Amino acid sequence: MNNVRQSPSVLIFDSGIGGLSVYDEIYKKMPNLHYLYAFDNEMFPYGDKCAEVIIDRVTSVIETITKSYSISLAVIACNTASTICLPSLRSKFAFPIVGVVPAIKPASQISRNKCIGLLATKATIQRAYTTHLIQEFAKDCTVNLLGLSELALIAESKLQGNAVDILQLKKLLQPWLSLPTIPDTIVLGCTHYPFIKDELQKIFPHTTFIDSGNAIASRVYNLLNEQYDLSKEKASLTNNIVLSTIYNQYVEKLISKFENYNLNKYQTIKI
Ligand code: DGL
């Protein structure tokens, strides 16, 4: 029998384009793998949906993808989904599933004034998972929580080429601008937010922003490296695929942006 081993296929999933910030870190570390970037634009945003709806939906999307593609590892590049879906996804699928959750631990380690902020969707802020992360890793810090629905939409709009309205952003962040101690470290607890980091930095010029992208890329590398010789992988750059749950004008506009990420083919998946 011809025993041709395939390159690992890595699925990166988010509700929208936020997961591209995580994909970008993974791709930079491992450019020779085969990537599928899937986003559930039909249900975007997840940040205002209830937990049960998100669990069912993410399971259905991943299940649908597995009917057409063989997946070596999946990254749930969405804090809103990861903070609620990981146990059920891991019990359903055999491949490793890496979640993206707020980087509370590194933030508490680098903070000097021991005042940190967690900026995320309303859903992520309310999760028991997030409360446990804070209790376990940031006991010695004051942790300010801010759940905003609008930021992911602002990031989507920026990726489409629209300028960010700094005054609007400043208004949304006002609760933190009037704090007696401004957080010296802010966790970007939504994968969309790295796309508006420059604008956030203008509003908080002395604050360090951290996200989980780099740590996730290392985790993916370590997990795949147990099974594959990653130095020998040579997947074709033209084979990377974008999948979304609905095709519309928005996606049509985004296709050229995806090409900048070496995601060169597009397919709609019906859920
Ligand atoms: N990118 C997602 C996250 O990391 C959330 C965006 C949404 O509300 O769907 O939480």
Side-chain angles (χ1 to χ4, degrees):
M1 200 175 103
N2 194 0
N3 194 6
V4 181
R5 199 183 52 76
Q6 296 211 316
S7 269
S9 278
V10 178
L11 168 66
I12 320 275
F13 171 78
D14 184 28
S15 55
I17 51 82
L20 281 177
S21 65
V22 179
Y23 163 82
D24 198 35
E25 297 285 346
I26 299 172
Y27 181 80
K28 275 193 266 175
K29 205 171 174 69
M30 292 161 281
N32 295 328
L33 306 186
H34 176 229
Y35 290 98
L36 295 142
Y37 182 81
F39 64 109
D40 188 8
N41 54 334
E42 194 176 15
M43 284 278 280
F44 175 85
Y46 278 6
D48 58 10
K49 310 267 178 320
C50 76
E52 294 69 28
V53 169
I54 295 176
I55 295 173
D56 281 357
R57 181 69 181 187
V58 176
T59 308
S60 306
V61 174
I62 309 261
E63 197 164 30
T64 306
I65 295 170
T66 57
K67 286 182 185 146
S68 308
Y69 298 96
S70 135
I71 305 296
S72 315
L73 180 148
V75 179
I76 307 303
C78 174
N79 294 259
T80 310
S82 292
T83 47
I84 196 78
C85 292
L86 295 178
S88 66
L89 292 176
R90 285 177 179 146
S91 69
K92 193 164 174 63
F93 301 103
F95 45 81
I97 298 184
V98 176
V100 175
V101 298
I104 296 289
K105 188 179 178 183
S108 73
Q109 287 165 344
I110 63 166
S111 173
R112 273 164 289 122
N113 70 359
K114 294 296 162 198
C115 176
I116 66 177
L118 169 60
L119 200 55
T121 63
K122 283 189 177 136
T124 297
I125 294 292
Q126 285 160 11
R127 298 264 193 264
Y129 191 106
T130 304
T131 310
H132 290 147
L133 273 182
I134 295 169
Q135 281 165 355
E136 189 168 355
F137 298 115
K139 270 202 197 80
D140 59 339
C141 295
T142 301
V143 183
N144 299 282
L145 306 173
L146 191 55
L148 295 169
S149 320
E150 299 86 347
L151 293 196
L153 300 164
I154 293 174
E156 293 266 336
S157 161
K158 183 180 174 187
L159 200 81
Q160 273 197 306
N162 303 313
V164 175
D165 180 344
I166 295 282
L167 282 180
Q168 182 203 5
L169 199 57
K170 210 167 176 178
K171 249 192 203 158
L172 293 167
L173 295 160
Q174 196 53 50
W176 280 357
L177 288 167
S178 46
L179 283 172
T181 308
I182 302 283
D184 70 353
T185 310
I186 292 179
V187 178
L188 300 178
C190 168
T191 54
H192 279 73
Y193 301 171
F195 289 112
I196 52 166
K197 188 172 158 185
D198 291 348
E199 290 79 3
L200 292 168
Q201 190 75 72
K202 278 189 193 141
I203 298 172
F204 295 98
H206 307 297
T207 294
T208 302
F209 290 90
I210 59 169
D211 62 69
S212 310
N214 200 11
I216 297 302
S218 299
R219 176 86 187 121
V220 170
Y221 179 89
N222 291 336
L223 283 170
L224 290 175
N225 205 35
E226 288 170 9
Q227 287 181 53
Y228 302 89
D229 181 353
L230 293 176
S231 62
K232 293 205 175 116
E233 295 303 336
K234 280 194 177 47
S236 157
L237 289 180
T238 54
N239 274 344
N240 298 327
I241 302 169
V242 182
L243 307 160
S244 85
T245 50
I246 194 165
Y247 185 80
N248 52 23
Q249 281 183 333
Y250 178 63
V251 174
E252 194 180 337
K253 272 199 193 167
L254 278 179
I255 283 178
S256 64
K257 311 274 178 203
F258 287 126
E259 282 166 9
N260 299 335
Y261 289 84
N262 280 323
L263 292 159
N264 303 300
K265 288 182 189 158
Y266 171 80
Q267 194 192 331
T268 309
I269 34 166
K270 288 262 159 289
I271 309 303

